[in-house]
Amino acid sequence: MKRLHGHEDVLFFVASTLLLAIGGGAWLLGAQDPATQCWTVATVLGLGASVAWTVAAVRRHELTVDVIAVLALVGALAVGEAFAGAMITVMLASGRLLEARAEARARRELGLLLERSPRTALRRVASGVVEVPVDEVVRGDRLLVGTGSLVPVDGRLLEDALLDESALTGEPLPVERPAGEDVRSGVVNAGAPVDLVATAVAAESTYAGLVRLVEQAQAQSAPFVRIADRLAVLFVPMTLLLAGGAWALSGDPVRAVAVLVVATPCPLLLAAPIAFISGLSRAARVGVVIKGGGALERLAAGRVMLFDKTGTLTQGRPVLVDVVTAGPEVDPDEMLRLAASLDQVSPHVLASSIVTAASRQGLTLEMPDDVVEEHGYGLSGRVGPHEVRLGKAAWIVPGPTPGWVRQARRRASLDGSLTVFVAVDGRPAGVFLLEDVIRPDAPRMVRGLRNAGIQRVVLVTGDRADVAEMVGRVVGTDAVLADCDPADKLAAIQTESSRAATIMVGDGVNDAPALAAAGVGVALASRGATASSEAADVVLVVDRVDALADAILIAQRSRRIARQAVLVGMGLSLVAMGVAAAGLLPPAAGAVLQEVIDVLAIGLALRAVLPGAEHTVTMAAADVELARRLKVEHDATLGVVEQLRAVADGLSTQDRDLAPVRELMDRLERDLLPHERADEELLVPLVSRALGGDAATVALSRTHAEIEHQASRLRRLLAELDDDAQPEDVIELRRLLYGLYGVLRLHNAQEEEGAFSLLPTVPDLAGSSRGRLPPER
């Protein structure tokens, strides 16, 4: 059935309802003729609309239930049952109005893709630089790309460049590209202005190809088929046979009209859309916007889930994960405080990450003075009495490479991290390691998806294979596809779609083709709208991916309720049809009875708006406040954990100085151990209350006990040793420190995933910057 559009839906409903009401008022006042005239006009109005819908369906070669409404309205006019006809018209009008909302699917548009497309380019000519339309760029043109500008066409760099390629690859960190390397259109120049030579015209460049991929993927998407149309194949001929049989056997055409009146399939037209709308409303409450009933139904049917990595299973921005100091004499907290103080005024993409890390640990920052940016090297300035420099190793640690620098670079290479080196008062102090870390709620989300019926989870990313496989192992995916460009992602969607209904989750422009091609595309838009959210059917507006499992459960429940409401409503209609065929139900009474059946079907459908079996965790306000306080204390102890490794690294069997270990033990007993005891006393019961049982807290309690045990062993060993420790004593101390460090790192990851990820999201202090960062700053 092709519905009316815009205000016509409302006008049709208002007009039919007014005519029915005015006729009813006239009938109550004894004015039979005016009442009949009003009802007749309403019937004719409904007949005209139904005929139009039926003709439109025939032109589309579709079978429609509207033919029943047409016959019922014609029959009502023929046998003088104007009231029954008016009632049918009102039911049809209300059904169209509700359906208009239920099937208001957001179109998959190229709006943001096209808006972001490069439109102009800066061409170098003999007289200087001129701005020209991008379509006028030809191969061989020398172009200037300013800081923050898009590369307009594919080209070859004439000098080194720092590029944010996240729009095409989804990689979280900008990359340094040397002179002579090819660069693709659509990437952003994140460094100084650079020159390049165009190697392709705009229409043949990478970004234009990405737009074409989205268009092709959209063309392959199947339209939503309503439940009513599926049942029409059986319902329409059965109704016509029953009505014709009643007329033929009784010789009374009124019986046929009565059958058609109660057979008007309003439960099909009303119950399913209302259940879907209720499901959409329920999903919105958990932070998931589903674009229409069709998307909701396909989401419920999904069995294979494909994820992009960056910004989806990971944070999508760099996070400080480790501090390596140049020696045990360097305080990592003080080093971080000085660096973050200087970075407060830095525009560099890493600055907010370092400042955020210091803020999380409760460090007091100062405003720097005499700040100077050394282009290509880093940043220098004065913080209080100290001269501080941040940047590349070659600038911070000139000359021969010390062991701690080699160690930091090796760790960065193994973990896919990036480095920021620090010097204080002219002496190298250490290095920060930053990573795009896994979201703490991602593993729980994958488990929730499997509970919701997802049978296969696939990670599809443009990142390198070793990093992608590590993420896949942690979150629990079934397969990992790495080094994928947008075309590869689209091919993966097509392959998986041939086996089962697919759901694709992404957050970048490069994900738009795959989102459009999947059975359901899901975009993360909590940090701002992108082309991916335009191409998607479902948009997560909260910065937590575990809401997706709730959305699937809501979609499944809404679809189940819609089917129940339709079956109950149509079942009762079938009974009423049998009674009408026997001549026991006149058309007017049948119309009223059908309205009662409609109300019952709607009531059943409205259950979809009530809470169901979602995995969303609700916490009391007092528990949220307590958990946030414990989270602040948790963050403040992170520096102590890193100091464990630094002290262990600095222990030597040669000088055997135990003073750093004793100072560390004092800090453990003063700061860390009281916090862990408070977690056991307060956080563990809080998590048990939130999750409805203590099964999820057993591991937390066990690691709390192990931390106490290892700290006790360290305390006893230090008590037994004097300043003349032997080499084997130092080795044992180092073993205990590394063991306690490993337990604490694992325990902190457990708390982030199992406890603090349950907290409602709060505004992101780190901002929304994304991009692939350079290997060193």
Side-chain angles (χ1 to χ4, degrees):
M1 175 185 296
K2 185 176 180 61
R3 65 173 181 83
L4 298 174
H5 297 281
H7 297 297
E8 296 177 359
D9 287 317
V10 178
L11 290 175
F12 180 42
F13 175 74
V14 171
S16 60
T17 304
L18 282 177
L19 288 168
L20 177 65
I22 293 172
W27 182 81
L28 291 174
L29 294 175
Q32 300 291 335
D33 291 341
T36 301
Q37 291 170 1
C38 288
W39 292 336
T40 301
V41 172
T43 303
V44 172
L45 179 64
L47 178 59
S50 296
V51 169
W53 297 331
T54 302
V55 170
V58 170
R59 288 176 176 174
R60 297 193 305 270
H61 305 289
E62 297 176 358
L63 185 60
T64 174
V65 294
D66 292 324
V67 66
I68 300 175
V70 171
L71 294 176
L73 290 167
V74 170
L77 290 174
V79 300
E81 292 285 352
F83 172 74
M87 287 288 295
I88 295 171
T89 299
V90 170
M91 288 187 289
L92 291 173
S94 59
R96 294 312 93 210
L97 192 61
L98 287 169
E99 187 183 30
R101 293 189 59 193
E103 297 198 15
R105 295 183 59 199
R107 295 180 180 87
R108 295 171 173 180
E109 299 174 354
L110 299 175
L112 290 183
L113 268 179
L114 297 175
E115 180 181 337
R116 191 183 181 278
S117 296
R119 288 182 171 80
T120 61
L122 297 178
R123 177 194 286 161
R124 287 196 183 274
V125 295
S127 59
V129 177
V130 295
E131 185 173 13
V132 297
V134 69
D135 292 335
E136 294 183 9
V137 174
V138 297
R139 292 180 179 86
D141 278 353
R142 180 167 178 166
L143 306 177
L144 173 66
V145 183
T147 302
S149 298
L150 288 170
V151 174
V153 296
D154 292 353
R156 183 170 296 110
L157 291 171
L158 297 177
E159 52 193 308
D160 295 350
L162 177 64
L163 302 174
D164 177 359
E165 300 181 348
S166 59
L168 297 180
T169 67
E171 298 247 2
L173 315 170
V175 293
E176 289 180 331
R177 298 292 185 190
E181 189 161 333
D182 290 335
V183 61
R184 295 176 289 179
S185 65
V187 304
V188 178
N189 179 17
V194 297
D195 280 15
L196 59 85
V197 174
T199 57
V201 297
E204 299 174 1
S205 293
T206 301
Y207 202 81
L210 181 60
V211 173
R212 287 193 296 272
L213 280 175
V214 175
E215 291 173 332
Q216 293 166 5
Q218 287 178 332
Q220 296 169 3
S221 298
F224 173 55
V225 182
R226 293 183 292 114
I227 292 178
D229 291 332
R230 298 170 186 167
L231 296 179
V233 175
L234 296 176
F235 189 76
V236 171
M238 182 190 67
T239 299
L240 297 179
L241 288 174
L242 183 59
W247 187 357
L249 293 175
S250 66
D252 185 2
V254 175
R255 290 194 183 188
V257 173
V259 170
L260 293 172
V261 166
V262 294
T264 303
C266 284
L268 289 174
L269 304 177
L270 297 175
I274 288 175
F276 288 153
I277 291 173
S278 299
L280 302 181
S281 174
R282 182 66 194 163
R285 294 182 188 178
V286 299
V288 181
V289 176
I290 302 176
K291 297 179 179 180
L296 184 142
E297 188 178 38
R298 295 195 306 277
L299 184 64
R303 291 296 176 267
V304 176
M305 182 79 70
L306 298 98
F307 286 97
D308 176 46
K309 178 183 75 70
T310 302
T312 303
L313 296 179
T314 66
Q315 298 281 10
R317 61 178 181 270
V319 175
L320 180 64
V321 295
D322 204 355
V323 179
V324 177
T325 59
E329 71 279 1
V330 178
D331 182 354
D333 285 352
E334 179 64 10
M335 186 179 91
L336 176 59
R337 188 189 72 83
L338 293 174
S341 296
L342 179 60
D343 258 338
Q344 289 179 105
V345 297
S346 172
H348 196 276
V349 288
L350 292 179
S352 63
S353 301
I354 294 174
V355 173
T356 299
S359 299
R360 287 183 62 189
Q361 295 189 27
L363 303 178
T364 302
L365 306 185
E366 304 176 50
M367 288 304 298
D369 299 312
D370 304 326
V371 179
V372 177
E373 182 176 0
E374 302 288 343
H375 180 68
Y377 291 97
L379 194 70
S380 65
R382 177 172 292 277
V383 179
H386 301 288
E387 291 287 343
V388 182
R389 287 192 298 170
L390 305 174
K392 294 184 175 181
W395 188 49
I396 301 298
V397 192
T401 304
W404 65 271
V405 174
R406 290 194 300 270
Q407 178 192 26
R409 284 177 166 170
R410 186 181 304 112
R411 291 177 59 185
S413 176
L414 290 173
D415 298 336
S417 308
L418 52 97
T419 57
V420 177
F421 287 83
V422 186
V424 178
D425 295 329
R427 298 183 60 184
V431 58
F432 299 125
L433 300 180
L434 299 99
E435 295 178 15
D436 181 22
V437 299
I438 297 172
R439 288 175 178 266
D441 58 334
R444 186 158 53 87
M445 179 267 298
V446 171
R447 293 193 296 269
L449 289 174
R450 297 193 188 280
N451 292 334
I454 297 298
Q455 300 168 355
R456 178 173 166 83
V457 180
V458 181
L459 173 58
V460 186
T461 177
D463 213 339
R464 70 192 205 202
D466 57 335
V467 174
E469 288 171 358
M470 181 274 295
V471 173
R473 283 193 297 270
V474 172
V475 302
T477 63
D478 297 302
V480 175
L481 303 177
D483 299 313
C484 294
D485 60 19
D488 294 330
K489 292 183 179 182
L490 184 57
I493 287 289
Q494 293 168 341
T495 299
E496 295 293 340
S497 296
S498 65
R499 302 169 183 166
T502 55
I503 303 172
M504 173 68 192
V505 187
D507 80 328
V509 173
N510 64 299
D511 299 319
L515 294 177
V520 178
V522 180
L524 276 72
S526 60
R527 299 177 191 165
T530 65
S532 61
S533 61
E534 291 296 312
D537 303 286
V538 179
V539 180
L540 271 64
V541 296
V542 292
D543 193 20
R544 47 186 312 133
V545 293
D546 57 351
L548 181 56
D550 288 339
I552 292 176
L553 289 172
I554 290 169
Q556 292 172 347
R557 181 169 178 264
S558 300
R559 183 181 63 170
R560 184 169 60 251
I561 288 174
R563 290 176 174 175
Q564 291 171 355
V566 166
L567 291 175
V568 169
M570 294 311 299
L572 292 175
S573 292
L574 290 173
V575 173
M577 289 164 59
V579 175
L584 303 176
L585 188 66
V592 175
L593 177 61
Q594 183 61 47
E595 193 67 28
V596 173
I597 294 173
D598 293 344
V599 170
L600 176 60
I602 290 171
L604 292 173
L606 284 173
R607 292 180 300 142
V609 81
L610 301 175
E614 297 96 86
H615 290 295
T616 299
V617 175
T618 56
M619 301 173 63
D623 283 349
V624 172
E625 182 179 355
L626 173 60
R628 292 200 191 285
R629 178 172 66 80
L630 293 173
K631 178 68 165 63
V632 171
E633 296 175 2
H634 168 87
D635 292 341
T637 65
L638 297 179
V640 185
V641 177
E642 294 307 319
Q643 189 179 356
L644 277 166
R645 183 196 47 75
V647 170
D649 288 346
L651 281 177
S652 170
T653 57
Q654 302 299 319
D655 57 34
R656 301 191 289 277
D657 181 14
L658 303 186
V661 186
R662 298 188 188 280
E663 293 174 5
L664 172 62
M665 190 69 233
D666 290 340
R667 192 175 181 190
L668 287 173
E669 293 183 330
R670 183 181 67 249
D671 298 332
L672 189 139
L673 292 177
H675 166 70
E676 299 300 339
R677 292 163 189 155
D679 277 353
E680 180 64 25
E681 178 184 354
L682 301 174
L683 185 64
V684 169
L686 185 153
V687 174
S688 296
R689 289 194 298 272
L691 298 180
D694 58 3
T697 61
V698 172
L700 286 178
S701 294
R702 178 64 184 86
T703 50
H704 282 147
E706 186 64 23
I707 291 167
E708 288 280 5
H709 174 60
Q710 295 297 330
S712 174
R713 295 181 66 194
L714 180 62
R715 186 187 306 111
R716 294 199 309 272
L717 180 57
L718 285 173
E720 294 175 2
L721 297 178
D722 52 27
D723 292 335
D724 189 24
Q726 299 303 307
E728 59 270 19
D729 298 328
V730 173
I731 293 173
E732 180 64 14
L733 277 174
R734 189 185 294 134
R735 186 184 68 82
L736 285 175
L737 290 174
Y738 282 138
L740 182 55
Y741 173 73
V743 172
L744 282 166
R745 286 292 298 263
L746 176 62
H747 173 68
N748 286 345
Q750 288 175 331
E751 286 192 338
E752 290 283 351
E753 177 185 334
F756 298 128
S757 69
L758 304 177
L759 284 170
T761 54
V762 295
D764 186 6
L765 298 176
S768 59
S769 60
R770 296 183 68 248
R772 174 96 180 144
L773 300 166
E776 293 180 353
R777 172 170 163 178

